[in-house]
């Protein structure tokens, strides 16, 4: 791909005195002259683009002032790029962007979360980007497919550039195979099988240490817009009853899953696990770090976990050291009485970058397109994604970046001190094969010598049963009081503060509806229908 224009040189002449004649001029055209002076170079002023980006590693610092990418962008694109990292906390991101919108000081190009983005569109502070796609043929092909453009289209206009976000279906149900083998058990299939295995893992000393210090299942409450109530770690159990996730986008029966009969059935099954005392009792108090420390210490034998959090070299190392003969494998989620099974719900996430109306009015759209297209060229893609070739990485025979063979191993792109140089990598990554192979290399564990690959685990997880809920993460959110009532109520039923009976549950759902649950349900269904999310 040829780089966009550099410096523009225009031949200038001085018109000699000409009586009785005149000549109109257009940009770049030399006027006729009887005596022309030598041509002089007129340099086009560089375009300054202020960028607010989401940092790839929030705890690392920003790119340094002498970053090679900034130099190339200036020399090849005639753009002065001024990058600023957004806060790591999503709520703080919203506050920063909203404050800039209120004072009409939004940057030229900025990452923005969907709810804040919608508000900026309503107030006229975000410009349509439709005319930029054709200016970025390479980037549009790899980043902005029809689903991406539909995601940012409001009333027929695309108000943002949506790049692929997190990898979907990258979690799954894992079980300690070594515990199964020691106890002579088969891989569980049904919800009944699961409960029986969880009991054995809890009461039959699967690790052989003679102590009652293991549990069948481990989890923590991890709530997001897609998985309200108990959160995603319990979704495999809710999925066995057809009630995974916050929303059902089934055209035949759409709406909030908590208002459906199947939700009670899933809750009743989880309550049976709790009552049997086969779940790590810390599930209510665990945070993510506590949960991950617990499985690495051998505390439970079944969990839902993310591929890299389990199998990436640094993450697996503590478990490998503690249990060199231990082995986790991915299995199907439990099958419910009606034959349903699902590891959980998924929606293709996107990172939205918007262009401020002020930038568009200043004529910066073409320069922004040049910048983004360069980012997706080979030069920009590898530089922003991995650093400088033969300094921070080399390419192996498959064209995949690796630190093998670089002169100074301390400058490998994966080293903490090198992370500021790849802080914009989320602007170029699109989950392509090169990225996956580089992100999840095959390795041998330090203690047991097992061959591991987080990519192999990912592909195994992705082929399991999942429930598509495309667009569910964009549906209306509950107000703070309703959200709190929802989340506290579900936990209270499971912990015994409320007795879980059908009558009590029906009464609670009726109260939920009165507090705004029914209105939330109706708004969500209408939005999903209008957005063509129902399938």
């Amino acid at each position: 791909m040829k780089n966009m224009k550099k410096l523009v040189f225009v031949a200038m002449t001085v018109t000699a005195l000409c009586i009785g004649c005149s000549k109109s001029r257009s940009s770049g055209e030399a006027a006729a002259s009887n005596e022309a002076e030598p041509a002089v170079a007129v340099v086009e002023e560089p375009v300054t683009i202020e960028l607010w980006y989401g940092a790839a590693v929030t705890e690392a610092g920003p790119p340094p002032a002498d970053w090679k990418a900034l130099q190339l962008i200036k020399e090849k694109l005639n753009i002065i790029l001024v990058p600023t990292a957004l806060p790591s906390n999503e709520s703080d991101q919203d506050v920063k962007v909203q404050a800039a919108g209120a004072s009409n000081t939004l940057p030229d190009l900025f990452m923005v979360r969907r709810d804040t983005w919608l508000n900026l569109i309503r107030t006229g502070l975000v410009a349509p980007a439709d005319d930029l796609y054709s200016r970025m043929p390479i980037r549009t092909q790899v980043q902005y497919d029809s689903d991406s453009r539909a995601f940012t289209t409001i009333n027929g206009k695309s108000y943002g550039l949506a790049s692929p976000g997190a990898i979907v279906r990258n979690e799954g149900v894992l079980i300690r195979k070594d515990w199964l083998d020691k106890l002579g058990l088969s891989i569980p299939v049904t919800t009944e099988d699961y409960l029986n295995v969880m009991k054995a893992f809890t009461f039959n000393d699967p690790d052989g240490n003679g102590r009652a210090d293991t549990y069948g299942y481990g989890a923590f409450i991890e709530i997001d817009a897609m998985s309200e109530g108990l959160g995603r770690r319990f979704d495999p159990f809710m999925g066995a009853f057809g009630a995974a996730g916050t929303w059902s986008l089934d055209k035949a029966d759409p709406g909030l899953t908590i208002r459906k009969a199947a939700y009670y059935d899933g809750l009743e099954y989880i309550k049976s696990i709790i009552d049997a005392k086969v779940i790590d009792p810390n599930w209510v108090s665990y945070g993510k770090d506590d949960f991950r420390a617990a499985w690495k210490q051998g505390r439970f034998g079944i969990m839902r976990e993310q591929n890299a959090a389990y199998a990436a070299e640094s993450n697996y190392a503590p478990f490998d050291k503690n249990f060199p003969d231990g082995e986790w494998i991915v299995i199907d989620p439990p099958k419910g009485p009606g034959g349903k099974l699902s590891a959980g719900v998924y929606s293709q996430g996107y990172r939205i970058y918007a262009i401020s109306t002020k930038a568009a009015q200043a004529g910066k759209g073409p320069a922004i397109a040049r910048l983004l297209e360069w980012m997706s060229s080979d030069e920009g893609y590898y530089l922003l994604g991995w650093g400088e070739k033969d300094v921070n990485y080399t390419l192996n025979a498959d064209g995949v970046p690796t630190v093998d063979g670089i002169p100074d191993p301390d400058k490998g792109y994966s080293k903490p001190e090198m992370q500021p140089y790849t802080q914009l990598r989320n602007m170029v990554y699109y989950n392509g094969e090169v990225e996956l192979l580089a992100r999840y290399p095959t390795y041998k564990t330090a203690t047991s010598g097992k061959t591991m690959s987080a990519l192999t685990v990912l592909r195994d997880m992705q082929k399991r049963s999942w429930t598509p809920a495309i667009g569910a993460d964009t549906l209306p959110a509950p107000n703070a009081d309703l959200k709190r009532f929802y989340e506290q109520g579900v936990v209270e039923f499971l912990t015994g503060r409320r007795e879980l009976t059908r009558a009590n549950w029906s009464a609670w759902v009726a109260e939920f509806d009165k507090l705004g649950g029914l209105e939330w349900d109706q708004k969500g269904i209408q939005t999903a229908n209008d957005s063509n999310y129902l399938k």
Side-chain angles (χ1 to χ4, degrees):
M1 181 188 76
K2 291 186 178 296
N3 293 312
M4 279 55 70
K5 65 181 182 179
K6 302 177 183 177
L7 301 179
V8 178
F9 294 94
V10 183
M12 302 292 291
T13 59
V14 178
T15 305
L17 181 62
C18 178
I19 300 174
C21 68
S22 65
K23 190 176 182 68
S24 63
R25 303 179 186 184
S26 61
S27 177
E29 178 182 88
S33 173
N34 290 333
E35 293 182 11
E37 293 183 357
V40 295
V42 176
V43 180
E44 181 184 279
E45 288 294 319
V47 178
T48 297
I49 294 179
E50 186 181 2
L51 166 69
W52 286 2
Y53 65 92
V57 183
T58 55
E59 62 270 25
D66 62 351
W67 185 32
K68 185 176 180 179
L70 296 178
Q71 300 170 14
L72 288 174
I73 290 168
K74 173 69 184 303
E75 293 169 2
K76 295 193 172 187
L77 309 182
N78 202 29
I79 290 171
I80 298 174
L81 182 64
V82 183
T84 301
L86 286 164
S88 59
N89 182 276
E90 291 182 341
S91 296
D92 292 341
Q93 291 176 17
D94 291 342
V95 169
K96 181 177 177 70
V97 174
Q98 288 166 352
S103 60
N104 197 26
T105 56
L106 286 168
D108 304 306
L109 180 65
F110 58 100
M111 192 181 82
V112 59
R113 299 208 310 145
R114 189 176 178 88
D115 288 348
T116 300
W117 171 72
L118 289 170
N119 289 332
L120 294 175
I121 293 171
R122 294 187 191 104
T123 54
L125 294 173
V126 172
D130 301 88
D131 62 336
L132 300 190
Y133 291 111
S134 61
R135 295 175 178 269
M136 305 179 290
I138 294 174
R139 189 172 180 88
T140 296
Q141 180 180 0
V142 299
Q143 297 247 5
Y144 310 132
D145 61 13
S146 58
D147 289 337
S148 162
R149 294 172 74 161
F151 189 80
T152 59
T153 297
I154 307 294
N155 296 326
K157 293 183 179 180
S158 175
Y159 283 93
L161 303 166
S163 299
I167 300 170
V168 297
R169 306 192 306 281
N170 65 338
E171 295 197 357
V173 178
L174 290 153
I175 193 167
R176 286 287 297 269
K177 184 178 182 299
D178 56 311
W179 285 9
L180 287 174
D181 293 343
K182 184 176 187 301
L183 299 177
L185 299 172
S186 300
I187 293 173
V189 176
T190 66
T191 49
E192 184 180 359
D193 295 339
Y194 264 75
L195 184 55
N196 288 334
V197 168
M198 285 187 272
K199 288 178 179 178
F201 281 1
T202 304
F203 304 117
N204 295 356
D205 193 20
D207 59 1
N209 68 359
R211 297 192 297 270
D213 57 357
T214 59
Y215 293 93
Y217 194 73
F220 68 103
I221 299 175
E222 186 178 20
I223 294 170
D224 57 24
M226 295 282 289
S227 299
E228 263 289 357
L230 292 173
R232 69 179 70 177
R233 305 291 164 168
F234 290 93
D235 260 357
F237 299 135
M238 301 303 291
F241 298 88
T246 307
W247 296 94
S248 165
L249 296 184
D250 183 347
K251 186 176 290 187
D253 187 24
L256 290 168
T257 55
I258 200 168
R259 299 188 69 254
K260 303 186 183 304
Y263 195 96
Y264 176 84
D265 296 333
L267 212 60
E268 194 172 48
Y269 177 76
I270 295 172
K271 183 68 163 61
S272 73
I273 295 172
I274 295 170
D275 289 346
K277 301 185 185 304
V278 296
I279 186 173
D280 185 336
N282 293 318
W283 67 270
V284 178
S285 59
Y286 272 158
K288 184 179 292 186
D289 292 341
D290 304 314
F291 164 79
R292 287 178 172 159
W295 71 253
K296 294 171 187 178
Q297 293 162 5
R299 191 166 170 85
F300 43 79
I302 307 176
M303 63 180 177
R304 172 175 153 160
E305 181 59 295
Q306 194 254 5
N307 73 304
Y310 154 60
E313 186 170 8
S314 60
N315 295 327
Y316 188 77
F319 178 82
D320 184 56
K321 182 178 180 180
N322 292 333
F323 307 100
D325 296 324
E327 181 183 6
W328 291 91
I329 60 171
V330 180
I331 63 172
D332 284 329
K335 183 182 294 185
K340 295 180 179 179
L341 70 163
S342 173
V345 294
Y346 72 92
S347 175
Q348 175 61 65
Y350 292 100
R351 294 185 183 91
I352 299 176
Y353 275 84
I355 298 166
S356 66
T357 299
K358 186 171 63 174
Q361 291 173 344
K364 294 187 178 183
I368 290 172
R370 291 204 309 273
L371 173 66
L372 295 176
E373 180 72 347
W374 175 81
M375 286 184 175
S376 291
S377 69
D378 282 350
E379 182 176 57
Y381 178 67
Y382 284 98
L383 181 60
L384 271 59
W386 291 274
E388 295 185 51
K389 187 179 179 183
D390 299 325
V391 176
N392 308 117
Y393 74 94
T394 60
L395 294 178
N396 66 18
D398 296 320
V400 176
T402 175
V403 295
D404 296 340
I406 60 174
D408 183 354
D410 290 337
K411 292 187 177 180
Y413 67 85
S414 59
K415 294 291 184 181
E417 55 270 25
M418 293 295 106
Q419 289 173 345
Y421 293 90
T422 58
Q423 284 288 43
L424 269 63
R425 63 178 180 262
N426 287 335
M427 292 190 72
V428 300
Y429 284 173
Y430 60 98
N431 299 326
E433 190 71 6
V434 167
E435 297 159 35
L436 295 178
L437 289 168
R439 192 183 310 179
Y440 305 132
T442 300
Y443 65 94
K444 283 192 176 296
T445 59
T447 304
S448 65
K450 289 194 292 280
T451 299
M452 295 280 291
S453 166
L455 181 54
T456 300
V457 173
L458 171 65
R459 288 169 173 158
D460 194 354
M461 290 175 169
Q462 289 178 326
K463 73 182 183 183
R464 306 290 170 168
S465 294
W466 286 82
T467 301
I470 310 304
D473 49 338
T474 70
L475 298 183
N479 63 54
D481 290 338
L482 183 62
K483 179 178 172 66
R484 184 164 49 250
F485 179 83
Y486 184 172
E487 294 167 1
Q488 290 180 354
V490 171
V491 172
E492 286 173 357
F493 275 112
L494 292 183
T495 56
R497 293 186 62 186
R498 293 175 184 258
E499 185 181 4
L500 183 62
T501 65
R502 289 193 182 274
N504 288 348
W505 178 253
S506 296
W508 183 87
V509 172
E511 188 176 358
F512 170 81
D513 282 351
K514 288 180 182 178
L515 289 174
L518 178 59
E519 182 183 5
W520 178 30
D521 184 54
Q522 292 171 339
K523 284 183 178 179
I525 294 172
Q526 185 63 52
T527 301
N529 186 63
D530 293 345
S531 302
N532 198 33
Y533 292 150
L534 301 181
K535 304 297 181 184

